[in-house]
Amino acid sequence: MSSKEVIDRGEDMEESWEWLDRGLDIHQHSIIPLGNAQSGYINRGISFSTLKHGDIFVKFNEKNHARDMFKGERTSLETLHRTGTVKVPLPIQVVCHDSGGAALVMRHLRMRPLSVEGETKLGQQLAQ
């Protein structure tokens, strides 16, 4: 793990997003929350606008295993992207927090609801 991957500042992951600023090596205050936070059973996420990377989606988890989990997800997304079969968000970086948690930073992908036909097509594409 490189020294740039680990953010050692002691703040809570959601208390301040400065750790993410440092992990992405972008200028302080150039990361602006877009306000569409999401929460799931395992991870939470929020979208940001940045000068360096454009709109990004940050998926984060405060558990100790988060780094390994997100590195695996990054590899999977890169593999799916290379196939050209389905559109997936492009991963940018896995950023680790000194709490043991981590975040997967990826390009923001605008989502829209799928029709029944769209769901069928997606299932077929994934099966390929």
Side-chain angles (χ1 to χ4, degrees):
M1 181 181 331
S2 73
S3 60
K4 264 188 152 176
E5 273 185 309
V6 177
I7 307 306
D8 186 19
R9 296 287 194 249
E11 69 260 8
D12 182 84
M13 289 182 82
E14 283 187 275
E15 197 173 293
S16 166
W17 292 108
E18 288 180 20
W19 65 274
L20 187 60
D21 238 5
R22 290 186 301 273
L24 289 172
D25 195 27
I26 54 181
H27 301 298
Q28 194 169 8
H29 306 299
S30 67
I31 184 168
I32 303 163
L34 293 176
N36 47 345
Q38 301 170 7
S39 184
Y41 290 108
I42 300 171
N43 304 305
R44 287 174 287 168
I46 187 167
S47 294
F48 293 95
S49 182
T50 70
L51 296 175
K52 184 175 182 179
H53 299 287
D55 289 351
I56 60 173
F57 181 70
V58 179
K59 187 177 189 180
F60 62 99
N61 185 302
E62 296 175 349
K63 304 288 185 194
N64 289 331
H65 69 281
R67 177 180 175 265
D68 293 335
M69 177 179 64
F70 287 142
K71 284 193 176 267
E73 184 171 348
R74 177 184 182 161
T75 300
S76 297
L77 287 170
E78 290 169 342
T79 301
L80 281 169
H81 175 71
R82 278 194 303 275
T83 68
T85 308
V86 294
K87 188 173 182 179
V88 295
L90 297 174
I92 297 170
Q93 184 175 342
V94 174
V95 178
C96 298
H97 190 274
D98 68 333
S99 69
L104 173 59
V105 181
M106 56 193 121
R107 301 255 183 250
H108 188 272
L109 183 61
R110 303 261 182 238
M111 303 289 285
R112 64 180 192 276
L114 291 175
S115 63
V116 173
E117 295 82 17
E119 291 174 355
T120 302
K121 183 177 178 180
L122 176 61
Q124 291 169 343
Q125 289 174 324
L126 289 173
Q128 291 177 0

